[in-house]
Amino acid sequence: MKYLQQAVIIAAITFAAEIIKYFVPLPVPASIYGLILLFVLLKTGLLKLGQIEDVGGLLLELMPLLLVPASVSFLTVLDTIQGMLLPVLIMGFIGTTVVMIVTGSVSQWIIRRSGKEKGHE
Amino acid sequence: MSEIFAACSCFGLLMAMGTYQLARAINKRVGKEVCNPLLFATLLCGAVLLGTGTEYDIFYENGGKILEFLLTPATICLAIPLYKQFKLLKKNAGAVLAGCVAGVAAHMAGCALMLFIFHMEAAEYISLLPKSITTAIGKGLSEELGGFPAITMATIMLTGLFGAVAAPPLLKLFRVTEPVSQGLAIGTSSHAAGTSRAVQLGEIQGAASSLAIVVTGLLTVVAAPVFARLV
């Protein structure tokens, strides 16, 4: 029954997140509120990792599968996207490359700089 | 054919799970990832629907929505790796934050550039804003801001697949060799799909990439509404 108990806890956090979303007038999905809520619960020790880890791990492992129905919905936008094909392709290939290199270079520069500082101490 | 599918309550569920599992079985047989399960399942399900003239709604109502329903709790559970790897995040907090902020800023600047080059409609431009983040957040954000969730989904998928395939050679080409930075770069640019590749590069890369998914997701949720006002 430990799986049922874990599922109930995760469902309750999801429920709480959706209630927060209902009352907070911000363009933030319920999943973000839930993510922060779960992190706070774990960090404060109100919830132990073992109380959700099995079902939570299963959900994380299944995540790509859960995205299949939404991805298949591309069929319904083939007409809509035709006019946007070029921007979508440019953002997908060039945009992704630029973001990857910017993030990698900036963080690497900081890590190496702080590494050097420690070396001098 | 489509009448039969419409009568089967688990048609969509079986199609999605079956094609996804088939891709995994092929990969296992070959001994390496030759087909991305998400891409493979999407293309195969799409081909079956198109080939049999079945409406997407039948696929979604008969089982597909069960999987989609689980997306919100699954995304919430990203808090688990975040909690587990909090020490690593804390030690490299400066690099994590600066890297993710720089990446998100570069992405938003790119979107604004596209807006002016292509004279896009507001909803089209907004659909591109959440492209680098995990699909569950990106789809919700696109809906909230008034974009086309389907275009966002298509862009996010393309981004993830490109990141997963091209990240190792790109990082090598641009001499990003620090393991933490490699992970951050992959997670910030290409979310969970890219992270699956980062995990193969090494444990530190996988951890940093998971952290970057969350941080970039949060930063984008904050930054996207601001940039959405450009139109």
Side-chain angles (χ1 to χ4, degrees):
Chain A
M1 289 313 264
K2 77 171 177 185
Y3 296 113
L4 180 61
Q5 195 185 345
Q6 296 193 4
V8 168
I9 294 173
I10 291 172
I13 294 168
T14 308
F15 181 66
E18 282 165 347
I19 289 182
I20 296 172
K21 179 180 158 48
Y22 180 81
F23 283 108
V24 181
L26 289 175
V28 176
S31 48
I32 285 285
Y33 291 125
L35 198 163
I36 296 167
L37 179 63
L38 177 56
F39 180 77
V40 169
L41 286 174
L42 287 170
K43 202 73 192 137
T44 54
L46 286 171
L47 199 65
K48 296 277 177 287
L49 203 53
Q51 286 176 286
I52 50 153
E53 205 175 12
D54 301 293
V55 174
L58 177 68
L59 283 172
L60 285 177
E61 205 179 311
L62 286 177
M63 230 168 133
L65 171 64
L66 306 181
L67 296 171
V68 172
S71 303
V72 177
S73 73
F74 81 86
L75 284 179
T76 60
V77 285
L78 283 180
D79 295 334
T80 323
I81 208 167
Q82 256 168 11
M84 270 200 69
L85 204 57
L86 192 59
V88 166
L89 289 178
I90 291 177
M91 287 308 286
F93 296 130
I94 302 175
T96 305
T97 304
V98 170
V99 172
M100 192 182 292
I101 299 315
V102 166
T103 301
S105 306
V106 168
S107 65
Q108 181 163 275
W109 181 71
I110 292 177
I111 290 172
R112 296 215 165 134
R113 204 188 52 167
S114 66
K116 267 182 200 160
E117 276 170 14
K118 272 176 195 153
H120 286 303
E121 277 165 15
Chain B
M1 198 68 159
S2 72
E3 290 86 16
I4 301 174
F5 289 153
C8 301
S9 65
C10 72
F11 160 67
L13 186 66
L14 183 63
M15 275 294 298
M17 292 200 307
T19 50
Y20 189 87
Q21 180 55 29
L22 181 61
R24 293 190 53 210
I26 292 172
N27 288 337
K28 202 176 171 192
R29 194 67 174 271
V30 178
K32 61 179 174 186
E33 183 158 312
V34 286
C35 52
N36 179 292
L38 174 57
L39 179 69
F40 183 83
T42 302
L43 293 180
L44 213 57
C45 289
V48 169
L49 292 185
L50 280 181
T52 59
T54 309
E55 294 274 320
Y56 172 75
D57 283 353
I58 293 175
F59 172 83
Y60 184 79
E61 289 300 324
N62 291 1
K65 66 179 173 188
I66 297 174
L67 295 175
E68 197 167 85
F69 162 76
L70 289 171
L71 254 187
T72 302
T75 310
I76 289 173
C77 289
L78 282 173
I80 297 173
L82 180 64
Y83 171 73
K84 279 184 174 172
Q85 293 148 9
F86 194 62
K87 256 188 190 166
L88 183 73
L89 172 72
K90 222 169 160 182
K91 192 177 158 234
N92 290 299
V96 171
L97 256 180
C100 292
V101 168
V104 171
H107 166 63
M108 295 291 166
C111 287
L113 195 63
M114 300 294 288
L115 173 68
F116 292 116
I117 292 176
F118 288 96
H119 303 288
M120 283 186 274
E121 277 174 39
E124 293 175 339
Y125 160 71
I126 287 169
S127 304
L128 292 180
L129 289 176
K131 117 186 157 63
S132 307
I133 60 181
T134 194
T135 322
I137 303 176
K139 184 169 167 286
L141 194 62
S142 182
E143 277 166 0
E144 290 285 343
L145 294 175
F148 299 118
I151 291 180
T152 304
M153 288 289 304
T155 318
I156 289 177
M157 273 190 57
L158 182 67
T159 298
L161 290 172
F162 175 72
V165 173
L170 281 175
L171 291 171
K172 200 174 171 188
L173 181 66
F174 288 91
R175 294 202 186 93
V176 178
T177 52
E178 206 69 50
V180 171
S181 296
Q182 289 184 335
L184 290 175
I186 296 173
T188 301
S189 63
S190 50
H191 55 92
T195 303
S196 65
R197 187 61 179 265
V199 171
Q200 293 172 345
L201 291 180
E203 206 172 73
I204 299 173
Q205 284 92 334
S209 190
S210 304
L211 297 173
I213 293 176
V214 177
V215 177
T216 304
L218 294 175
L219 285 173
T220 304
V221 166
V222 174
V226 177
F227 276 82
R229 291 196 182 164
L230 276 184
V231 285

